[in-house]
Amino acid sequence: MPAKSLDQIVSLSKRRGFIFPGSDIYGGLANTWDYGPLGAELKNRVKRTWWQTFVHGRQDMVGLDASILMNAKVWEASGHVGNFADPLVDCKNCKERTRGDKLIEEKLGVEAAAVLKIEQVQPMLLAEKIPCPKCGKVAWTEAKRFNLMFRTQQGVVEGEGNEIYLRPETAQGIFVNFKNIVDTMRMRLPFGVGQIGKAFRNEITPGNFTFRTREFEQMEIEYFVEPGTEAKYFEEWKDAVWEWFLSFGIAKERLRIREHGADELSHYSSRTIDIEYLFPWGWGELFGLANRADYDLKQHEKFSGQDMKFTDPDDPKKKFLPYVVEPSFGCDRSILTFLLEAYTEEVLENGETRTVMKLDPRLAPYDLAILPLSKKEQLIGKAQELYKRIVQETNLVCDFDITGSIGKRYRRQDEIGTPRAITVDFGTIGEDEKQGERDTVTIRDRDTLKQERLSINELIEKLKR
Ligand code: GAP
């Protein structure tokens, strides 16, 4: 553990149905990925556990599911129309377009790139002799600001006024609903709103599998607090999120916190830290925590003309704009991290190597696999009966696999991270005492490889627990 290269995860994901290249039969669409049957299960589980921890698990949180399409004024107010841009440079030789700051970051580190002003990007690229990744020449144009929002038209009439954007962050859906939530949900400060949903950014340099894509999913929280208390809640959220990642088995030594320098802060932030993970290509942002102060509510108040202030229920004369602490998770990046971290190659006693995804059992696509030892009708019938019982009597998700030798089926379950496999054999149907008594099955543990024989009733009781 963990995966040594991204290729190990890309290939396992395709081979085992976690993540496929998007539009595959048409030769793909660059940097789009589709979550396959197992990826969809994994993704749902990541979202569900996130929601359980941060929304259902806390008295001070509620959820929201806002539209992707929003009034274009939202993005003027939020500052994204004016400020959400990256420095784009062109290679004068081969015309390759790329992000100048990323090239500088690769050579001189994240801190050096972060403090650069747009007019410093080209001189720095030339002074450091940073070559074009495509043709190798050092011939860069001046950097231009490239807005990352996807634009589209709403309705049948083209033209001004119909232009809208695909949201580049889910956060704004929470800000524009702030009043609705306060008025309907009897909220008291501090309180937070959690939301999971798609966001879109026309990234100049997407890549590294699902790490940076143009369509991705965020799991965001806007936590509203009384001004003056934000520093305390910032620390609390930092600790809570750090613990959340550790609780899914991410090794401490591959996580670190990086504080943004003053020149690097987003237009809305007065303090930001990232939790970074040591990806196979180096440290990269997994999660961001920002102090957005009252920036967004103030801007929406200004642009919409609506009063966005919060009235203290105990003192109606006390009206103010709350400050906001924002923990922002990338769902896809979290999944990529869980996959990388789970990837394990083990040499067995017989000298063979087994690949096993040691996913946290709460995230594994299947809780259990039910494997009839052979294709004999009676065995399959018995195994199907067991499958039905488990599904009816527990809320576990089971795979049912009859294809290939039992060894190959165990291998597959290891590679998809199924924590337990149950084998229905000739003993189960009373035809082989050496394998076990009638109505007993073998349960095999993914990590220890230990096998235990127990009765079906005991098994059901154990699974219920
Ligand atoms: N509302 C604040 C916000 O959007 P961000 O740091 O730009 O902050 C938050 O994004 C998280 O969203 C990141 O930490 C990352 O996990 C994820 N993310 C951002 N851009 C992404 C992209 N192009 N592809 C995949 N995930 C992305």
Side-chain angles (χ1 to χ4, degrees), residues 84 168-169 171 201 203 210-214 216 218 220 222 268 274 285-288 292 326 328-333:
F84 195 55
E169 60 169 6
R201 296 182 188 173
E203 299 280 5
T210 55
F211 178 79
R212 182 171 288 110
T213 50
R214 295 190 171 115
F216 55 97
Q218 292 186 314
E220 292 202 295
E222 306 304 321
Y268 50 73
D274 290 341
E285 176 186 343
L286 167 61
F287 158 90
R292 293 179 84 127
E326 179 193 59
S328 179
F329 298 70
C331 182
D332 308 271
R333 276 190 202 174

Side-chain angles (χ1 to χ4, degrees), residues 17 35 97 101 127 308 392 422 433 458:
Y35 286 84
R97 301 199 123 176
D101 60 331
M308 300 296 276
Q392 276 164 5
I422 292 162
E433 278 173 22
E458 276 170 333

Side-chain angles (χ1 to χ4, degrees), residues 9 16 18 38 111 113 134 194 206 240 284 308 333 355 455:
I9 294 303
R16 292 301 187 195
F18 281 97
L38 299 189
E111 282 82 6
K134 194 167 163 205
M308 300 296 276
R333 276 190 202 174
T355 304
S455 78

Side-chain angles (χ1 to χ4, degrees), residues 338-355:
F338 294 141
L339 287 172
L340 285 161
E341 198 64 19
Y343 187 91
T344 312
E345 282 180 5
E346 280 177 359
V347 182
L348 301 173
E349 276 169 17
N350 63 7
E352 276 179 27
T353 304
R354 87 165 174 143
T355 304

